[in-house]
Amino acid sequence: MTPVYSNIMVMGAGGMGALFGMILDEGGMNVTLVDSDTAHVAAIQKDGLKVSGLGGERSRIMDAVTSPDDITDIDIVLVQCKGTATRAAAESMKHLAKQNAIFISFQNGLGNEDILAEVLGPENVLGGLTSMAGAKLGLGHIQDFDRVPTYIGEMEGGISARVEAIAKALSAAGLETKPSADITADIWKKLIGNLSMSAVSGITNLTSTEILSVESLKNLCYRALDEAISIAKSQNVNLDKDEVIAGLQIMTQPGGTGDNKSSLCLDILAQRQSEIEFIYGRPLALAKQANLNVPTLQTLYGLVKGIETHYVKG
Ligand SMILES: NC(=O)C1=CN([C@@H]2O[C@H](COP(=O)(O)OP(=O)(O)OC[C@H]3O[C@@H](n4cnc5c(N)ncnc54)[C@H](OP(=O)(O)O)[C@@H]3O)[C@@H](O)[C@H]2O)C=CC1
Ligand SMILES: CC(C)(CO)C(=O)C(=O)O
């Protein structure tokens, strides 16, 4: 019998996680938001999740808690904390893996699926990527930017029955999700978009649309994009540049996802440790192993690390 995928837990209910959770809850799934930010969770428990942006101002009463400890019977966990918190989050969800929950990461960067597989078992982990955009505006309050398709797939490739069934269930609940036969290549396509835009957004405090309207910054992003494609190639991920640029255009739509400052930029503004190591550090280590010359990406990495010395200790 095909399992019914209807009990969803969102681990990390910030800008993206709460947005996914809200869409699926509205679509009839049983959604529980889990977030370690106690004030954020208290605000959702008191007044519901407030949403601004696409669809207008609204709020939705949703289940929200600060820890997964007492949660059972979950079919799917959407992992949406920052990469810097993935290991701690995974350690706190081991009981759900024992009950055969499936964990899907829609986080940016490289390495999150590896951490989840190490702690929770590779058979329980699917890869994912989204070009949707959300932002935590305040306690219990998020911004909804747009609707664009999201992808999931088996980490070893191919399309399995469970991936098809989960994609169908999520899509039926309003989160358009497509099965990917090569999620690793798709994750790289999104990563190349982040390598091109995220640090530039963080350093300049500009949205994607604003960045691409400044010729010199646009040229900088495209140099980063070329270098990022060369790193993917060194990992046997051969991507067509036109396809990568088409993906970038989806991530940078004016009036939609393009009106978002990158998640890395929001971390810099909040003086929080960013995902610089997941989005830039890990690909740069691969470039080094492959003896590639990637000066633009090294410079962007160095500039963000420099900014972080003002508030990240150690
Ligand atoms: N925002 C976007 O548009 C997009 C983001 N992404 C990716 O999605 C992921 C989430 O990004 P985003 O939503 O912007 O991030 P946010 O910072 O808005 O949300 C993450 C939430 O997770 C909470 N958290 C931290 N540690 C834990 C933990 N151990 N258990 C449960 N919750 C935890 C954080 O609390 P606290 O603040 O207290 O740390 C925060 O509320 C990132 O990997 C990002 O790169 C992908 C596509 C688009
Ligand atoms: C591309 C973007 C800005 C939104 O999809 C993103 O992935 C991020 O905020 O990190």
Side-chain angles (χ1 to χ4, degrees):
M1 208 173 74
T2 314
V4 176
Y5 296 105
S6 59
N7 293 330
I8 311 291
M9 184 179 113
V10 176
M11 190 62 172
M16 271 322 297
L19 176 59
F20 275 177
M22 185 272 296
I23 293 170
L24 297 175
D25 200 68
E26 277 183 344
M29 288 185 150
N30 306 316
V31 178
T32 305
L33 303 177
V34 181
D35 199 285
S36 57
D37 181 342
T38 49
H40 180 56
V41 169
I44 299 171
Q45 288 169 338
K46 184 167 171 283
D47 298 320
L49 177 72
K50 278 194 262 169
V51 186
S52 297
L54 190 78
E57 299 293 317
R58 58 208 190 277
S59 68
R60 182 159 188 92
I61 302 299
M62 293 189 64
D63 291 336
V65 292
T66 53
S67 148
D69 287 356
D70 296 329
I71 297 183
T72 56
D73 300 323
I74 291 296
D75 303 314
I76 301 170
V77 178
L78 305 182
V79 183
Q80 283 309 131
C81 57
K82 289 278 163 66
T84 46
T86 302
R87 186 167 292 280
E91 293 288 346
S92 70
M93 298 190 290
K94 281 179 169 169
H95 62 294
L96 297 174
K98 285 194 190 125
Q99 297 167 17
N100 300 321
I102 295 172
F103 300 83
I104 312 177
S105 159
F106 292 108
Q107 298 156 290
N108 285 327
L110 284 185
N112 287 296
E113 287 86 1
D114 295 337
I115 297 171
L116 295 176
E118 186 191 320
V119 180
L120 301 165
E123 67 286 1
N124 297 321
V125 177
L126 295 180
L129 85 93
T130 186
S131 297
M132 295 221 334
K136 195 171 170 182
L137 296 179
L139 297 178
H141 187 189
I142 59 161
Q143 173 91 9
D144 180 352
F145 286 90
D146 212 348
R147 293 288 174 279
V148 287
T150 287
Y151 294 82
I152 59 171
E154 298 288 345
M155 289 311 290
E156 68 270 22
I159 300 222
S160 64
R162 68 174 178 173
V163 162
E164 281 193 324
I166 294 170
K168 203 170 157 193
L170 297 177
S171 296
L175 183 69
E176 186 186 357
T177 306
K178 302 190 175 192
S180 163
D182 190 352
I183 196 71
T184 303
D186 285 330
I187 288 173
W188 266 99
K189 266 186 226 159
K190 171 75 198 286
L191 177 62
I192 291 170
N194 285 120
L195 283 162
S196 311
M197 304 296 303
S198 295
V200 181
S201 171
I203 294 160
T204 60
N205 190 16
L206 293 175
T207 67
S208 306
T209 305
E210 289 163 347
I211 290 167
L212 294 176
S213 70
V214 179
E215 198 57 23
S216 54
L217 288 179
K218 185 176 173 181
N219 293 339
L220 169 62
C221 294
Y222 276 77
R223 279 200 302 281
L225 181 135
D226 282 332
E227 292 178 13
I229 289 178
S230 76
I231 305 178
K233 198 168 174 197
S234 76
Q235 302 305 302
N236 298 319
V237 178
N238 292 305
L239 297 171
D240 177 59
K241 187 171 169 179
D242 291 340
E243 252 186 66
V244 174
I245 290 175
L248 186 69
Q249 279 161 353
I250 292 174
M251 286 166 62
T252 56
Q253 279 307 326
T257 47
D259 292 349
N260 192 22
K261 290 177 182 172
S262 71
S263 179
L264 187 145
C265 176
L266 300 184
D267 285 336
I268 289 178
L269 292 173
Q271 303 209 333
R272 277 192 301 253
Q273 167 85 67
S274 75
E275 295 180 297
I276 185 74
E277 294 300 340
F278 286 82
I279 299 176
Y280 289 82
R282 288 167 193 231
L284 281 172
L286 297 175
K288 192 170 176 197
Q289 277 167 22
N291 271 323
L292 292 176
N293 190 24
V294 287
T296 311
L297 293 175
Q298 270 163 343
T299 304
L300 292 172
Y301 172 81
L303 289 171
V304 173
K305 294 293 278 187
I307 293 171
E308 289 191 341
T309 60
H310 292 284
Y311 49 84
V312 175
K313 301 285 165 238

